[in-house]
Amino acid sequence: MKTRPTGIGSGNADWMGSLPAKLTATPLKHLAVPGSHDSFTFWVDVEAPVGPDQKVYVKYLATIFRNLAKKVMVKWSMTQNLSFKEQLDAGICYFDLRVSSKPSEPGKEIYFIHGLFGHKVVRDGLLEINAFLRRHRKEVVFLDFNHHYVMEAERHMYLIGMLQEVFGSKLCNNCAVESITLEYLWEKKYQVIVFYHHPSAQGCPVMWPGNKIPAPWANTTEPNKLMQFLDTTLSERAKQGVFHVSQAILTPTVNTVAKGLVWGLRNYLVEKNLPTIMSWVEAQRPGEHGVNIITSDFVDLTDFANIVIKLNNLLLSEHDRKPT
């Protein structure tokens, strides 16, 4: 399988609403859901300061080499080419989100971050997602706020309030994972499940704790080790009380970046290994002992979302698959 731009359109924009009744009555934790890793990095800004998520030596190099260093950082920080709307149109429903304030900036504003700050604020991304949900009433998204940098209690409250302001009654209350089916969400008119990995969200009924969506991280550059890790963590997946994220991604080391400095993450590490990773994805099965959410870098380089969505057909009997 060769990687290539797929001319992403809106073919999967309503995939949840188009599922057969048997699957809409199945707990979401047993369905296959496509997601993106570092979902917001199409906004990474070469003009922005280096983020507080970076090591001291990276910040030092950026002060010495300035925009040259940042241009290299963009190549290794950017993991997605598509905007939130384009990802949603393609069928992506899980978003991996990292946020930070800008230490030198007054006010409470919060930005997406991965090495460098995004050029738009978090509210812009949330509004883009909400605009999609208004047009696609049966689609549901997972928003996973799993890293927070330079955020004191006041900023956490600001972000949690922003989520409630933007999504309002679309936010699903924290409850038993097993009770969450598409039918249940449609009945309640819920479309957004927010996971907030910080104690500041405790006590807020529409913020789900991070321990309800474990996302084991292989932290390897080798696809064979990645697949072994994914298989092992799936076999150890908790049977009750949680969703599960399989991060089908490779992570560069300092040595990797040094060797492929001018090439970047996509050209040096991702493209050549995507066929192997996608072979693993295609061989999966959702259900009680199978995959749930699967994330990828550069979701537009293959038919990633479509492949993951079609895995749900494996939960249907031959009779269920016949058109009515």
Side-chain angles (χ1 to χ4, degrees):
M1 182 193 72
K2 292 182 179 179
T3 63
R4 76 251 185 257
T6 55
I8 293 292
S10 57
N12 288 319
D14 294 292
W15 74 266
M16 288 183 172
S18 302
L19 290 174
K22 179 177 180 180
L23 296 183
T24 63
T26 298
L28 259 180
K29 61 176 280 189
H30 292 157
L31 295 184
V33 177
S36 56
H37 170 239
D38 284 322
S39 308
F40 51 86
T41 52
F42 58 92
W43 275 350
V44 165
D45 183 8
V46 72
E47 301 296 332
V50 175
D53 59 333
Q54 290 302 291
K55 292 182 170 58
V56 172
Y57 72 86
V58 175
K59 295 177 184 177
Y60 173 73
L61 290 173
T63 60
I64 300 289
F65 297 103
R66 305 202 175 208
N67 274 12
L68 179 62
K70 289 182 183 179
K71 285 177 181 177
V72 171
M73 287 186 69
V74 167
K75 289 185 177 183
W76 287 93
S77 296
M78 193 171 178
T79 64
Q80 304 297 334
N81 294 320
L82 302 181
S83 69
F84 285 123
K85 179 186 182 301
E86 290 168 330
Q87 291 183 50
L88 287 160
D89 282 341
I92 300 297
C93 291
Y94 166 91
F95 297 98
D96 166 31
L97 305 171
R98 304 166 189 221
V99 296
S100 177
S101 67
K102 285 184 180 177
S104 60
E105 184 178 276
K108 299 178 185 176
E109 210 52 79
I110 300 169
Y111 297 81
F112 294 116
I113 188 172
H114 188 229
L116 296 166
F117 286 94
H119 70 269
K120 292 188 178 182
V121 295
V122 168
R123 182 182 295 271
D124 292 331
L126 302 182
L127 290 172
E128 189 173 327
I129 292 168
N130 193 51
F132 172 89
L133 295 175
R134 282 203 304 266
R135 295 191 301 271
H136 304 271
R137 295 292 186 177
K138 289 193 170 183
E139 301 309 291
V140 175
V141 298
F142 298 81
L143 304 183
D144 192 358
F145 287 85
N146 48 54
H147 288 73
H148 308 82
Y149 301 96
V150 197
M151 286 183 59
E152 69 283 0
E154 187 180 8
R155 287 190 201 258
H156 280 289
M157 291 300 100
Y158 174 69
L159 177 54
I160 291 167
M162 184 195 306
L163 287 160
Q164 293 174 298
E165 177 190 338
V166 170
F167 295 115
S169 61
K170 295 186 186 74
L171 289 169
C172 178
N173 283 310
N174 178 19
C175 59
V177 170
E178 284 70 28
S179 69
I180 301 297
T181 66
L182 287 172
E183 285 184 358
Y184 168 82
L185 295 169
W186 295 342
E187 179 187 348
K188 299 285 187 180
K189 294 183 169 53
Y190 293 151
Q191 289 184 273
V192 184
I193 305 176
V194 175
F195 298 89
Y196 203 92
H197 298 238
H198 194 273
S200 297
Q202 289 177 1
C204 181
V206 292
M207 297 291 114
W208 291 57
N211 61 14
K212 284 196 172 183
I213 192 160
W217 176 40
N219 194 16
T220 182
T221 59
E222 301 177 34
N224 289 334
K225 286 185 178 179
L226 169 64
M227 290 184 289
Q228 183 180 6
F229 177 86
L230 292 171
D231 287 336
T232 299
T233 51
L234 269 178
S235 69
E236 297 169 349
R237 177 184 171 185
K239 300 297 183 285
Q240 294 289 323
V242 296
F243 297 97
H244 184 88
V245 180
S246 296
Q247 295 197 68
I249 60 166
L250 296 172
T251 304
T253 62
V254 173
N255 193 41
T256 310
V257 175
K259 287 181 178 178
L261 192 65
V262 299
W263 294 97
L265 179 68
R266 171 179 167 171
N267 293 329
Y268 189 77
L269 188 63
V270 174
E271 281 200 342
K272 66 182 179 182
N273 291 305
L274 258 183
T276 304
I277 294 171
M278 289 307 301
S279 294
W280 180 86
V281 174
E282 290 172 333
Q284 298 312 299
R285 180 186 178 92
E288 188 174 353
H289 304 290
V291 292
N292 180 201
I293 297 162
I294 307 177
T295 60
S296 176
D297 289 327
F298 298 106
V299 296
D300 59 315
L301 293 185
T302 68
D303 291 323
F304 171 73
N306 209 34
I307 289 167
V308 174
I309 292 165
K310 286 183 176 179
L311 293 176
N312 292 304
N313 290 335
L314 299 172
L315 298 175
L316 301 172
S317 67
E318 185 177 345
H319 178 267
D320 292 325
R321 293 178 200 173
K322 288 180 181 177
T324 55

